[in-house]
Amino acid sequence: MNYEEFGKLKCEELLKVQNIFRENFKIDSYANWFYDSETELLRLYNDDEDEIFFRYIPVGTFSLKSRTWMWSWFNESSIEKSKTELLVVKEFGNENNYEKLKEGTFASDEYDGWELASICLDFLNGIGVYKVDTDNLEKYMLIMGIENHDSPKVRKLKQKVVECGKHGHSRPAFVCDHLDLETPKGFEEAFDTYKGMELEEEDDFQAWCNECEKIRLEHDGWNEESEKFAQIQLICEDCYFELKEFNQIK
C-alpha cells in the first residue's frame, strides 16, 4: 500500500473516532483551552465549574507562515517527554519508506496535520485529536484519556496558575495599573506574545501602557521610580490578551 492510500485509510478511521470523541466529551461546548507542556495536560473550560482535563501526546505543528510541518520528536522546543512515543511511527515510516513519517520537518499544508495525527492515533490507541490554533501555528495533540480533577497532575497544574473571577484558572500575567477596557492606552510588551504560546521558565507575560513606556525610557529602564508609576498588577492570561486586543493602537 502506498502512502497516499494508507493516509486516506487512517483519516477515514479518525473521522469515526473523532465523531465519538466530540460527542462523548462535548469538546465543542468549551470556549477556552490551555495546555501545559510539563504536566502534558490539556484543559478545556468555560469556567472553574465547567472544565475537563485530558492527557495528551504532542504530535507536531504546522506553520501557517512557512507552510511546513514539524514532528514533535524533531522539535527541540517541545519539552513533553511523551513525544518519544511517536518514534514507533517514525520507525514504521522507515520500514515502509513513507517520507512524511520519517522526515522531521517538510513542506506541508493544513491537511497533513490531521492525516499524521490519524496515523499516530492508530499506533498509540488515542481517543481523539485536538488542534490548538495560535498565531501562525497549529499544534496537533493526540488525546490519550481524561485526567481526574483531583489528580496530582491537575493539582500541580493549578499551582502554576492564578485564579481569576472571570476566567477561572489561567497562567499569570503582569500589566501596569493604567491598562483597562475603557480607553486604548497602547500596549508595550517585554516580548512579542500570542495566546497559548509556550514560555521559557524564567518568562512571564508582561505589558504596560504608552505613558509607562515614556517613564521607563526616561529612567533608563525599570527602577524604583518607573515601577512606582506603573503599579504593576497580577492578572490572568485571558485578561491579558483581552487588554492587548483592546489597547493596541494600530
PDB file of all heavy atoms in Angstrom, residues 171-207:
ATOM      1  N   ARG A 171      -2.808  31.000  33.340  1.00  0.00           N
ATOM      2  CA  ARG A 171      -1.436  31.393  33.653  1.00  0.00           C
ATOM      3  C   ARG A 171      -1.369  32.854  34.100  1.00  0.00           C
ATOM      4  O   ARG A 171      -2.167  33.684  33.664  1.00  0.00           O
ATOM      5  CB  ARG A 171      -0.531  31.182  32.434  1.00  0.00           C
ATOM      6  CG  ARG A 171      -0.231  29.732  32.157  1.00  0.00           C
ATOM      7  CD  ARG A 171       0.822  29.573  31.077  1.00  0.00           C
ATOM      8  NE  ARG A 171       0.342  30.000  29.771  1.00  0.00           N
ATOM      9  CZ  ARG A 171       1.052  29.892  28.641  1.00  0.00           C
ATOM     10  NH1 ARG A 171       2.268  29.389  28.684  1.00  0.00           N
ATOM     11  NH2 ARG A 171       0.547  30.285  27.488  1.00  0.00           N
ATOM     12  N   PRO A 172      -0.397  33.182  34.954  1.00  0.00           N
ATOM     13  CA  PRO A 172      -0.279  34.557  35.438  1.00  0.00           C
ATOM     14  C   PRO A 172       0.282  35.502  34.379  1.00  0.00           C
ATOM     15  O   PRO A 172       1.023  35.092  33.481  1.00  0.00           O
ATOM     16  CB  PRO A 172       0.688  34.427  36.621  1.00  0.00           C
ATOM     17  CG  PRO A 172       1.525  33.239  36.285  1.00  0.00           C
ATOM     18  CD  PRO A 172       0.592  32.287  35.580  1.00  0.00           C
ATOM     19  N   ALA A 173      -0.084  36.763  34.502  1.00  0.00           N
ATOM     20  CA  ALA A 173       0.439  37.818  33.637  1.00  0.00           C
ATOM     21  C   ALA A 173       0.533  39.091  34.467  1.00  0.00           C
ATOM     22  O   ALA A 173      -0.126  39.221  35.508  1.00  0.00           O
ATOM     23  CB  ALA A 173      -0.472  38.022  32.427  1.00  0.00           C
ATOM     24  N   PHE A 174       1.341  40.033  33.994  1.00  0.00           N
ATOM     25  CA  PHE A 174       1.577  41.255  34.754  1.00  0.00           C
ATOM     26  C   PHE A 174       1.414  42.462  33.835  1.00  0.00           C
ATOM     27  O   PHE A 174       1.991  42.508  32.751  1.00  0.00           O
ATOM     28  CB  PHE A 174       2.982  41.237  35.359  1.00  0.00           C
ATOM     29  CG  PHE A 174       3.214  40.078  36.293  1.00  0.00           C
ATOM     30  CD1 PHE A 174       3.689  38.863  35.816  1.00  0.00           C
ATOM     31  CD2 PHE A 174       2.931  40.198  37.645  1.00  0.00           C
ATOM     32  CE1 PHE A 174       3.889  37.786  36.667  1.00  0.00           C
ATOM     33  CE2 PHE A 174       3.126  39.130  38.504  1.00  0.00           C
ATOM     34  CZ  PHE A 174       3.603  37.922  38.019  1.00  0.00           C
ATOM     35  N   VAL A 175       0.609  43.435  34.284  1.00  0.00           N
ATOM     36  CA  VAL A 175       0.363  44.640  33.486  1.00  0.00           C
ATOM     37  C   VAL A 175       0.372  45.864  34.398  1.00  0.00           C
ATOM     38  O   VAL A 175       0.168  45.751  35.614  1.00  0.00           O
ATOM     39  CB  VAL A 175      -0.996  44.575  32.749  1.00  0.00           C
ATOM     40  CG1 VAL A 175      -1.030  43.410  31.774  1.00  0.00           C
ATOM     41  CG2 VAL A 175      -2.150  44.478  33.741  1.00  0.00           C
ATOM     42  N   CYS A 176       0.581  47.031  33.801  1.00  0.00           N
ATOM     43  CA  CYS A 176       0.524  48.262  34.590  1.00  0.00           C
ATOM     44  C   CYS A 176      -0.924  48.548  34.983  1.00  0.00           C
ATOM     45  O   CYS A 176      -1.868  48.065  34.345  1.00  0.00           O
ATOM     46  CB  CYS A 176       1.128  49.433  33.815  1.00  0.00           C
ATOM     47  SG  CYS A 176       0.089  50.078  32.482  1.00  0.00           S
ATOM     48  N   ASP A 177      -1.079  49.351  36.003  1.00  0.00           N
ATOM     49  CA  ASP A 177      -2.404  49.628  36.560  1.00  0.00           C
ATOM     50  C   ASP A 177      -3.255  50.508  35.650  1.00  0.00           C
ATOM     51  O   ASP A 177      -4.459  50.650  35.867  1.00  0.00           O
ATOM     52  CB  ASP A 177      -2.238  50.308  37.929  1.00  0.00           C
ATOM     53  CG  ASP A 177      -3.540  50.381  38.700  1.00  0.00           C
ATOM     54  OD1 ASP A 177      -4.288  49.391  38.670  1.00  0.00           O
ATOM     55  OD2 ASP A 177      -3.810  51.425  39.317  1.00  0.00           O
ATOM     56  N   HIS A 178      -2.655  51.083  34.607  1.00  0.00           N
ATOM     57  CA  HIS A 178      -3.389  52.016  33.752  1.00  0.00           C
ATOM     58  C   HIS A 178      -4.177  51.318  32.646  1.00  0.00           C
ATOM     59  O   HIS A 178      -5.111  51.900  32.089  1.00  0.00           O
ATOM     60  CB  HIS A 178      -2.409  53.020  33.117  1.00  0.00           C
ATOM     61  CG  HIS A 178      -1.467  53.627  34.100  1.00  0.00           C
ATOM     62  ND1 HIS A 178      -0.099  53.475  34.022  1.00  0.00           N
ATOM     63  CD2 HIS A 178      -1.698  54.354  35.224  1.00  0.00           C
ATOM     64  CE1 HIS A 178       0.478  54.098  35.032  1.00  0.00           C
ATOM     65  NE2 HIS A 178      -0.470  54.641  35.782  1.00  0.00           N
ATOM     66  N   LEU A 179      -3.807  50.103  32.310  1.00  0.00           N
ATOM     67  CA  LEU A 179      -4.476  49.396  31.219  1.00  0.00           C
ATOM     68  C   LEU A 179      -5.872  48.950  31.646  1.00  0.00           C
ATOM     69  O   LEU A 179      -6.045  48.357  32.710  1.00  0.00           O
ATOM     70  CB  LEU A 179      -3.651  48.182  30.786  1.00  0.00           C
ATOM     71  CG  LEU A 179      -2.327  48.491  30.083  1.00  0.00           C
ATOM     72  CD1 LEU A 179      -1.509  47.217  29.889  1.00  0.00           C
ATOM     73  CD2 LEU A 179      -2.573  49.172  28.738  1.00  0.00           C
ATOM     74  N   ASP A 180      -6.864  49.249  30.804  1.00  0.00           N
ATOM     75  CA  ASP A 180      -8.232  48.823  31.079  1.00  0.00           C
ATOM     76  C   ASP A 180      -8.958  48.607  29.759  1.00  0.00           C
ATOM     77  O   ASP A 180      -8.347  48.673  28.684  1.00  0.00           O
ATOM     78  CB  ASP A 180      -8.968  49.855  31.954  1.00  0.00           C
ATOM     79  CG  ASP A 180      -8.974  51.247  31.341  1.00  0.00           C
ATOM     80  OD1 ASP A 180      -9.071  51.363  30.094  1.00  0.00           O
ATOM     81  OD2 ASP A 180      -8.880  52.238  32.093  1.00  0.00           O
ATOM     82  N   LEU A 181     -10.249  48.345  29.835  1.00  0.00           N
ATOM     83  CA  LEU A 181     -11.057  48.101  28.638  1.00  0.00           C
ATOM     84  C   LEU A 181     -11.988  49.273  28.355  1.00  0.00           C
ATOM     85  O   LEU A 181     -13.041  49.107  27.738  1.00  0.00           O
ATOM     86  CB  LEU A 181     -11.865  46.805  28.811  1.00  0.00           C
ATOM     87  CG  LEU A 181     -11.048  45.527  28.979  1.00  0.00           C
ATOM     88  CD1 LEU A 181     -11.964  44.335  29.254  1.00  0.00           C
ATOM     89  CD2 LEU A 181     -10.187  45.260  27.750  1.00  0.00           C
ATOM     90  N   GLU A 182     -11.571  50.471  28.789  1.00  0.00           N
ATOM     91  CA  GLU A 182     -12.389  51.662  28.583  1.00  0.00           C
ATOM     92  C   GLU A 182     -11.800  52.592  27.524  1.00  0.00           C
ATOM     93  O   GLU A 182     -12.505  53.043  26.622  1.00  0.00           O
ATOM     94  CB  GLU A 182     -12.552  52.414  29.908  1.00  0.00           C
ATOM     95  CG  GLU A 182     -13.294  51.598  30.965  1.00  0.00           C
ATOM     96  CD  GLU A 182     -13.395  52.327  32.285  1.00  0.00           C
ATOM     97  OE1 GLU A 182     -12.914  53.484  32.368  1.00  0.00           O
ATOM     98  OE2 GLU A 182     -13.942  51.752  33.242  1.00  0.00           O
ATOM     99  N   THR A 183     -10.507  52.879  27.635  1.00  0.00           N
ATOM    100  CA  THR A 183      -9.835  53.768  26.684  1.00  0.00           C
ATOM    101  C   THR A 183      -8.510  53.150  26.255  1.00  0.00           C
ATOM    102  O   THR A 183      -7.685  52.830  27.118  1.00  0.00           O
ATOM    103  CB  THR A 183      -9.553  55.145  27.316  1.00  0.00           C
ATOM    104  OG1 THR A 183     -10.776  55.697  27.811  1.00  0.00           O
ATOM    105  CG2 THR A 183      -8.950  56.089  26.283  1.00  0.00           C
ATOM    106  N   PRO A 184      -8.265  52.956  24.955  1.00  0.00           N
ATOM    107  CA  PRO A 184      -6.986  52.386  24.500  1.00  0.00           C
ATOM    108  C   PRO A 184      -5.813  53.262  24.921  1.00  0.00           C
ATOM    109  O   PRO A 184      -5.840  54.482  24.739  1.00  0.00           O
ATOM    110  CB  PRO A 184      -7.142  52.350  22.975  1.00  0.00           C
ATOM    111  CG  PRO A 184      -8.618  52.338  22.741  1.00  0.00           C
ATOM    112  CD  PRO A 184      -9.203  53.183  23.833  1.00  0.00           C
ATOM    113  N   LYS A 185      -4.806  52.649  25.490  1.00  0.00           N
ATOM    114  CA  LYS A 185      -3.656  53.394  26.004  1.00  0.00           C
ATOM    115  C   LYS A 185      -2.331  52.869  25.457  1.00  0.00           C
ATOM    116  O   LYS A 185      -1.273  53.194  25.984  1.00  0.00           O
ATOM    117  CB  LYS A 185      -3.642  53.328  27.533  1.00  0.00           C
ATOM    118  CG  LYS A 185      -4.879  53.929  28.202  1.00  0.00           C
ATOM    119  CD  LYS A 185      -4.786  53.809  29.710  1.00  0.00           C
ATOM    120  CE  LYS A 185      -5.983  54.464  30.394  1.00  0.00           C
ATOM    121  NZ  LYS A 185      -7.230  53.712  30.143  1.00  0.00           N
ATOM    122  N   GLY A 186      -2.388  52.049  24.418  1.00  0.00           N
ATOM    123  CA  GLY A 186      -1.166  51.440  23.913  1.00  0.00           C
ATOM    124  C   GLY A 186      -0.848  50.176  24.690  1.00  0.00           C
ATOM    125  O   GLY A 186      -1.371  49.959  25.792  1.00  0.00           O
ATOM    126  N   PHE A 187       0.005  49.349  24.124  1.00  0.00           N
ATOM    127  CA  PHE A 187       0.298  48.065  24.771  1.00  0.00           C
ATOM    128  C   PHE A 187       1.734  47.668  24.449  1.00  0.00           C
ATOM    129  O   PHE A 187       2.035  47.080  23.413  1.00  0.00           O
ATOM    130  CB  PHE A 187      -0.678  46.995  24.269  1.00  0.00           C
ATOM    131  CG  PHE A 187      -0.806  45.796  25.168  1.00  0.00           C
ATOM    132  CD1 PHE A 187      -1.674  45.813  26.248  1.00  0.00           C
ATOM    133  CD2 PHE A 187      -0.063  44.649  24.932  1.00  0.00           C
ATOM    134  CE1 PHE A 187      -1.806  44.706  27.082  1.00  0.00           C
ATOM    135  CE2 PHE A 187      -0.184  43.537  25.752  1.00  0.00           C
ATOM    136  CZ  PHE A 187      -1.063  43.565  26.832  1.00  0.00           C
ATOM    137  N   GLU A 188       2.645  48.035  25.344  1.00  0.00           N
ATOM    138  CA  GLU A 188       4.061  47.686  25.195  1.00  0.00           C
ATOM    139  C   GLU A 188       4.322  46.369  25.920  1.00  0.00           C
ATOM    140  O   GLU A 188       3.844  46.171  27.038  1.00  0.00           O
ATOM    141  CB  GLU A 188       4.946  48.785  25.787  1.00  0.00           C
ATOM    142  CG  GLU A 188       4.789  50.138  25.129  1.00  0.00           C
ATOM    143  CD  GLU A 188       5.424  50.189  23.754  1.00  0.00           C
ATOM    144  OE1 GLU A 188       6.312  49.347  23.481  1.00  0.00           O
ATOM    145  OE2 GLU A 188       5.042  51.063  22.956  1.00  0.00           O
ATOM    146  N   GLU A 189       5.087  45.480  25.273  1.00  0.00           N
ATOM    147  CA  GLU A 189       5.345  44.168  25.866  1.00  0.00           C
ATOM    148  C   GLU A 189       6.840  43.915  26.045  1.00  0.00           C
ATOM    149  O   GLU A 189       7.671  44.479  25.330  1.00  0.00           O
ATOM    150  CB  GLU A 189       4.770  43.064  24.984  1.00  0.00           C
ATOM    151  CG  GLU A 189       3.262  43.073  24.879  1.00  0.00           C
ATOM    152  CD  GLU A 189       2.748  41.867  24.119  1.00  0.00           C
ATOM    153  OE1 GLU A 189       2.852  41.870  22.876  1.00  0.00           O
ATOM    154  OE2 GLU A 189       2.252  40.929  24.762  1.00  0.00           O
ATOM    155  N   ALA A 190       7.141  43.036  26.984  1.00  0.00           N
ATOM    156  CA  ALA A 190       8.533  42.637  27.194  1.00  0.00           C
ATOM    157  C   ALA A 190       9.049  41.848  25.998  1.00  0.00           C
ATOM    158  O   ALA A 190      10.239  41.885  25.672  1.00  0.00           O
ATOM    159  CB  ALA A 190       8.652  41.810  28.473  1.00  0.00           C
ATOM    160  N   PHE A 191       8.147  41.118  25.320  1.00  0.00           N
ATOM    161  CA  PHE A 191       8.470  40.371  24.099  1.00  0.00           C
ATOM    162  C   PHE A 191       7.157  40.093  23.381  1.00  0.00           C
ATOM    163  O   PHE A 191       6.078  40.188  23.972  1.00  0.00           O
ATOM    164  CB  PHE A 191       9.210  39.059  24.417  1.00  0.00           C
ATOM    165  CG  PHE A 191       8.548  38.221  25.477  1.00  0.00           C
ATOM    166  CD1 PHE A 191       7.531  37.327  25.159  1.00  0.00           C
ATOM    167  CD2 PHE A 191       8.933  38.335  26.811  1.00  0.00           C
ATOM    168  CE1 PHE A 191       6.913  36.559  26.132  1.00  0.00           C
ATOM    169  CE2 PHE A 191       8.319  37.575  27.798  1.00  0.00           C
ATOM    170  CZ  PHE A 191       7.310  36.688  27.461  1.00  0.00           C
ATOM    171  N   ASP A 192       7.237  39.779  22.097  1.00  0.00           N
ATOM    172  CA  ASP A 192       6.030  39.504  21.321  1.00  0.00           C
ATOM    173  C   ASP A 192       5.328  38.267  21.872  1.00  0.00           C
ATOM    174  O   ASP A 192       5.976  37.252  22.162  1.00  0.00           O
ATOM    175  CB  ASP A 192       6.373  39.282  19.846  1.00  0.00           C
ATOM    176  CG  ASP A 192       6.831  40.558  19.161  1.00  0.00           C
ATOM    177  OD1 ASP A 192       6.441  41.641  19.630  1.00  0.00           O
ATOM    178  OD2 ASP A 192       7.576  40.465  18.166  1.00  0.00           O
ATOM    179  N   THR A 193       4.020  38.352  21.994  1.00  0.00           N
ATOM    180  CA  THR A 193       3.265  37.248  22.588  1.00  0.00           C
ATOM    181  C   THR A 193       2.064  36.877  21.734  1.00  0.00           C
ATOM    182  O   THR A 193       1.590  37.664  20.915  1.00  0.00           O
ATOM    183  CB  THR A 193       2.751  37.622  23.990  1.00  0.00           C
ATOM    184  OG1 THR A 193       1.788  38.693  23.869  1.00  0.00           O
ATOM    185  CG2 THR A 193       3.883  38.056  24.902  1.00  0.00           C
ATOM    186  N   TYR A 194       1.568  35.678  21.963  1.00  0.00           N
ATOM    187  CA  TYR A 194       0.277  35.257  21.431  1.00  0.00           C
ATOM    188  C   TYR A 194      -0.316  34.263  22.416  1.00  0.00           C
ATOM    189  O   TYR A 194       0.408  33.602  23.171  1.00  0.00           O
ATOM    190  CB  TYR A 194       0.396  34.642  20.032  1.00  0.00           C
ATOM    191  CG  TYR A 194       1.341  33.467  19.914  1.00  0.00           C
ATOM    192  CD1 TYR A 194       0.916  32.169  20.202  1.00  0.00           C
ATOM    193  CD2 TYR A 194       2.659  33.651  19.510  1.00  0.00           C
ATOM    194  CE1 TYR A 194       1.772  31.089  20.090  1.00  0.00           C
ATOM    195  CE2 TYR A 194       3.525  32.577  19.394  1.00  0.00           C
ATOM    196  CZ  TYR A 194       3.076  31.297  19.676  1.00  0.00           C
ATOM    197  OH  TYR A 194       3.931  30.227  19.569  1.00  0.00           O
ATOM    198  N   LYS A 195      -1.621  34.189  22.426  1.00  0.00           N
ATOM    199  CA  LYS A 195      -2.318  33.358  23.405  1.00  0.00           C
ATOM    200  C   LYS A 195      -1.944  31.888  23.236  1.00  0.00           C
ATOM    201  O   LYS A 195      -1.930  31.360  22.136  1.00  0.00           O
ATOM    202  CB  LYS A 195      -3.830  33.523  23.273  1.00  0.00           C
ATOM    203  CG  LYS A 195      -4.617  32.932  24.435  1.00  0.00           C
ATOM    204  CD  LYS A 195      -6.098  33.226  24.303  1.00  0.00           C
ATOM    205  CE  LYS A 195      -6.856  32.799  25.548  1.00  0.00           C
ATOM    206  NZ  LYS A 195      -6.712  31.384  25.868  1.00  0.00           N
ATOM    207  N   GLY A 196      -1.637  31.254  24.345  1.00  0.00           N
ATOM    208  CA  GLY A 196      -1.314  29.839  24.324  1.00  0.00           C
ATOM    209  C   GLY A 196       0.140  29.522  24.048  1.00  0.00           C
ATOM    210  O   GLY A 196       0.523  28.353  24.057  1.00  0.00           O
ATOM    211  N   MET A 197       0.969  30.540  23.808  1.00  0.00           N
ATOM    212  CA  MET A 197       2.371  30.282  23.472  1.00  0.00           C
ATOM    213  C   MET A 197       3.099  29.636  24.650  1.00  0.00           C
ATOM    214  O   MET A 197       2.735  29.819  25.811  1.00  0.00           O
ATOM    215  CB  MET A 197       3.069  31.585  23.078  1.00  0.00           C
ATOM    216  CG  MET A 197       3.275  32.565  24.223  1.00  0.00           C
ATOM    217  SD  MET A 197       4.040  34.126  23.702  1.00  0.00           S
ATOM    218  CE  MET A 197       5.700  33.585  23.288  1.00  0.00           C
ATOM    219  N   GLU A 198       4.115  28.864  24.322  1.00  0.00           N
ATOM    220  CA  GLU A 198       4.942  28.267  25.362  1.00  0.00           C
ATOM    221  C   GLU A 198       5.961  29.300  25.829  1.00  0.00           C
ATOM    222  O   GLU A 198       6.582  29.991  25.021  1.00  0.00           O
ATOM    223  CB  GLU A 198       5.647  27.018  24.831  1.00  0.00           C
ATOM    224  CG  GLU A 198       4.688  25.883  24.502  1.00  0.00           C
ATOM    225  CD  GLU A 198       5.408  24.582  24.206  1.00  0.00           C
ATOM    226  OE1 GLU A 198       6.503  24.379  24.758  1.00  0.00           O
ATOM    227  OE2 GLU A 198       4.878  23.779  23.435  1.00  0.00           O
ATOM    228  N   LEU A 199       6.129  29.399  27.132  1.00  0.00           N
ATOM    229  CA  LEU A 199       7.050  30.362  27.715  1.00  0.00           C
ATOM    230  C   LEU A 199       8.268  29.651  28.285  1.00  0.00           C
ATOM    231  O   LEU A 199       8.169  28.522  28.775  1.00  0.00           O
ATOM    232  CB  LEU A 199       6.364  31.144  28.838  1.00  0.00           C
ATOM    233  CG  LEU A 199       5.164  32.016  28.456  1.00  0.00           C
ATOM    234  CD1 LEU A 199       4.513  32.579  29.710  1.00  0.00           C
ATOM    235  CD2 LEU A 199       5.582  33.136  27.524  1.00  0.00           C
ATOM    236  N   GLU A 200       9.404  30.330  28.211  1.00  0.00           N
ATOM    237  CA  GLU A 200      10.578  29.832  28.912  1.00  0.00           C
ATOM    238  C   GLU A 200      10.311  29.914  30.412  1.00  0.00           C
ATOM    239  O   GLU A 200       9.478  30.706  30.871  1.00  0.00           O
ATOM    240  CB  GLU A 200      11.811  30.659  28.554  1.00  0.00           C
ATOM    241  CG  GLU A 200      12.202  30.616  27.081  1.00  0.00           C
ATOM    242  CD  GLU A 200      12.668  29.238  26.640  1.00  0.00           C
ATOM    243  OE1 GLU A 200      13.155  28.474  27.507  1.00  0.00           O
ATOM    244  OE2 GLU A 200      12.541  28.922  25.447  1.00  0.00           O
ATOM    245  N   GLU A 201      11.008  29.097  31.185  1.00  0.00           N
ATOM    246  CA  GLU A 201      10.737  29.012  32.619  1.00  0.00           C
ATOM    247  C   GLU A 201      10.851  30.362  33.313  1.00  0.00           C
ATOM    248  O   GLU A 201      10.096  30.665  34.242  1.00  0.00           O
ATOM    249  CB  GLU A 201      11.704  28.009  33.262  1.00  0.00           C
ATOM    250  CG  GLU A 201      11.412  27.738  34.728  1.00  0.00           C
ATOM    251  CD  GLU A 201      12.288  26.640  35.300  1.00  0.00           C
ATOM    252  OE1 GLU A 201      12.958  25.946  34.506  1.00  0.00           O
ATOM    253  OE2 GLU A 201      12.299  26.481  36.535  1.00  0.00           O
ATOM    254  N   GLU A 202      11.773  31.213  32.850  1.00  0.00           N
ATOM    255  CA  GLU A 202      12.001  32.494  33.522  1.00  0.00           C
ATOM    256  C   GLU A 202      11.124  33.618  32.969  1.00  0.00           C
ATOM    257  O   GLU A 202      11.173  34.751  33.458  1.00  0.00           O
ATOM    258  CB  GLU A 202      13.475  32.904  33.401  1.00  0.00           C
ATOM    259  CG  GLU A 202      13.941  33.214  31.993  1.00  0.00           C
ATOM    260  CD  GLU A 202      14.359  31.982  31.209  1.00  0.00           C
ATOM    261  OE1 GLU A 202      14.129  30.856  31.703  1.00  0.00           O
ATOM    262  OE2 GLU A 202      14.913  32.129  30.101  1.00  0.00           O
ATOM    263  N   ASP A 203      10.296  33.340  31.960  1.00  0.00           N
ATOM    264  CA  ASP A 203       9.490  34.379  31.319  1.00  0.00           C
ATOM    265  C   ASP A 203       8.070  34.448  31.877  1.00  0.00           C
ATOM    266  O   ASP A 203       7.516  33.449  32.339  1.00  0.00           O
ATOM    267  CB  ASP A 203       9.409  34.138  29.809  1.00  0.00           C
ATOM    268  CG  ASP A 203      10.711  34.455  29.100  1.00  0.00           C
ATOM    269  OD1 ASP A 203      11.503  35.246  29.649  1.00  0.00           O
ATOM    270  OD2 ASP A 203      10.939  33.908  28.004  1.00  0.00           O
ATOM    271  N   ASP A 204       7.487  35.641  31.805  1.00  0.00           N
ATOM    272  CA  ASP A 204       6.079  35.872  32.129  1.00  0.00           C
ATOM    273  C   ASP A 204       5.510  36.826  31.088  1.00  0.00           C
ATOM    274  O   ASP A 204       6.239  37.583  30.450  1.00  0.00           O
ATOM    275  CB  ASP A 204       5.926  36.528  33.515  1.00  0.00           C
ATOM    276  CG  ASP A 204       6.306  35.599  34.651  1.00  0.00           C
ATOM    277  OD1 ASP A 204       5.681  34.531  34.760  1.00  0.00           O
ATOM    278  OD2 ASP A 204       7.219  35.942  35.415  1.00  0.00           O
ATOM    279  N   PHE A 205       4.182  36.814  30.937  1.00  0.00           N
ATOM    280  CA  PHE A 205       3.528  37.829  30.124  1.00  0.00           C
ATOM    281  C   PHE A 205       3.624  39.161  30.877  1.00  0.00           C
ATOM    282  O   PHE A 205       3.196  39.257  32.025  1.00  0.00           O
ATOM    283  CB  PHE A 205       2.058  37.466  29.891  1.00  0.00           C
ATOM    284  CG  PHE A 205       1.857  36.220  29.077  1.00  0.00           C
ATOM    285  CD1 PHE A 205       1.307  35.081  29.646  1.00  0.00           C
ATOM    286  CD2 PHE A 205       2.212  36.182  27.737  1.00  0.00           C
ATOM    287  CE1 PHE A 205       1.113  33.928  28.901  1.00  0.00           C
ATOM    288  CE2 PHE A 205       2.025  35.034  26.973  1.00  0.00           C
ATOM    289  CZ  PHE A 205       1.477  33.901  27.560  1.00  0.00           C
ATOM    290  N   GLN A 206       4.173  40.189  30.225  1.00  0.00           N
ATOM    291  CA  GLN A 206       4.346  41.492  30.861  1.00  0.00           C
ATOM    292  C   GLN A 206       4.018  42.590  29.856  1.00  0.00           C
ATOM    293  O   GLN A 206       4.493  42.553  28.722  1.00  0.00           O
ATOM    294  CB  GLN A 206       5.788  41.681  31.336  1.00  0.00           C
ATOM    295  CG  GLN A 206       6.294  40.627  32.306  1.00  0.00           C
ATOM    296  CD  GLN A 206       7.763  40.826  32.613  1.00  0.00           C
ATOM    297  OE1 GLN A 206       8.244  41.952  32.758  1.00  0.00           O
ATOM    298  NE2 GLN A 206       8.502  39.732  32.700  1.00  0.00           N
ATOM    299  N   ALA A 207       3.214  43.562  30.290  1.00  0.00           N
ATOM    300  CA  ALA A 207       2.852  44.658  29.387  1.00  0.00           C
ATOM    301  C   ALA A 207       2.571  45.928  30.177  1.00  0.00           C
ATOM    302  O   ALA A 207       2.240  45.884  31.365  1.00  0.00           O
ATOM    303  CB  ALA A 207       1.631  44.275  28.555  1.00  0.00           C
TER     304      ALA A 207
END
